[in-house]
Amino acid sequence: MAPTPPEGTSARGRHRASGRRSGRVGLLALLTTALAGGGLIAAAFVVAPAGPPQPAVENSARYQLTDMDRRPDARGVRPLDRSAPVRVKIPAIKLDAVVVTVGTNPDGSLQVPELRHSQLTGWYRYGPSPGERGNAVIVGHVDTRSSGPAVFFELGALKPGTKIEVSRLDGSVAVFSVDVVKSFPKDEFPATRVYGSSDDMGLRLVTCGPPYDKTDHNYLNNVVVFATLTKTRPNP
């Protein structure tokens, strides 16, 4: 469902995740190797009948955000101190989900929420928290065999400017605006743009996406939402 953080990337470069995936974790497990163009493996056991929304496909792992992609309303917003996220809301797609903390498995692959809890999202705790300087990463399942659409099923339908609200443990709410939504082939996942360091206060939402290989029961792409902090406020 979400790619493994490349080796040596974290909030402050302290955490190192390495090794190749030896099995499938959860519904939609992916693996990346090093920052310099590692492979990506996706596994899925089911796709909902209508299929999740499909954003524009970016065919290059070298995808970079440009100045035109960044939200103009992000200027002048100050970074927040570190605090774990507890809830993510996207009113435009009626998403309101609990955020749990995830890390890495012994083989270096990214942990994901258990399949039986497909409506939960997972924050990669070794990276920045939402609102800190850098790129915070939250992952989620796209669908399941038993329940159909999962928490991030509609992620590909988001448009630039869509608001994402992340409630944090310290009582603050970090409000992000979507910069761009892209779909990447599994072997061209833009690890540096998702997990890499940044001077912006970024948020990355990640799940699997079409096309779906019915023979191998795999999604072939990853959907990534790139967003930037545009506002902070107290949690009412």
Side-chain angles (χ1 to χ4, degrees):
M1 180 226 6
T4 295
E7 184 173 0
T9 59
S10 71
R12 297 172 179 82
R14 292 193 300 263
H15 180 74
R16 300 179 68 83
S18 62
R20 297 190 63 83
R21 186 165 179 75
S22 58
R24 294 178 176 179
V25 176
L27 175 67
L28 308 168
L30 306 179
L31 177 75
T32 57
T33 51
L35 278 172
L40 186 69
I41 300 171
F45 303 116
V46 67
V47 64
Q54 168 75 346
V57 176
E58 180 69 40
N59 291 317
S60 172
R62 296 184 299 274
Y63 173 75
Q64 299 285 324
L65 285 178
T66 67
D67 289 338
M68 293 299 293
D69 290 321
R70 293 194 175 93
R71 301 294 307 169
D73 48 354
R75 297 169 187 158
V77 179
R78 294 180 178 275
L80 296 172
D81 292 331
R82 188 171 183 81
S83 181
V86 295
R87 199 166 202 96
V88 57
K89 297 182 181 181
I90 310 178
I93 57 173
K94 299 180 180 179
L95 186 152
D96 183 352
V98 171
V99 182
V100 298
T101 298
V102 298
T104 53
N105 296 302
D107 64 358
S109 60
L110 183 65
Q111 293 173 344
V112 296
E114 293 183 11
L115 183 57
R116 61 194 177 96
H117 299 305
S118 64
Q119 298 303 317
L120 295 180
T121 63
W123 164 60
Y124 178 58
R125 69 175 180 265
Y126 295 115
S129 63
E132 276 191 290
R133 196 176 301 279
N135 296 323
V137 179
I138 296 179
V139 300
H141 293 293
V142 68
D143 62 15
T144 75
R145 183 188 302 276
S146 59
S147 61
V151 63
F152 275 171
F153 186 81
E154 295 287 342
L155 215 59
L158 298 185
K159 304 298 182 184
T162 300
K163 300 300 181 184
I164 302 171
E165 301 176 0
V166 182
S167 299
R168 305 177 353 134
L169 192 60
D170 64 1
S172 66
V173 178
V175 182
F176 297 83
S177 292
V178 172
D179 298 314
V180 66
V181 183
K182 293 288 186 180
S183 178
F184 298 92
K186 63 181 184 180
D187 58 351
E188 295 183 8
F189 186 81
T192 56
R193 292 306 307 164
V194 174
Y195 292 103
S197 61
S198 173
D199 289 333
D200 293 330
M201 288 75 79
L203 177 67
R204 310 293 188 246
L205 306 182
V206 185
T207 193
C208 281
Y212 182 77
D213 188 329
K214 294 182 179 179
T215 301
D216 292 336
H217 304 290
N218 289 334
Y219 280 107
L220 301 182
N221 286 3
N222 270 100
V223 173
V224 183
V225 174
F226 298 85
T228 303
L229 184 71
T230 54
K231 182 180 179 181
T232 62
R233 59 175 172 81
N235 199 0

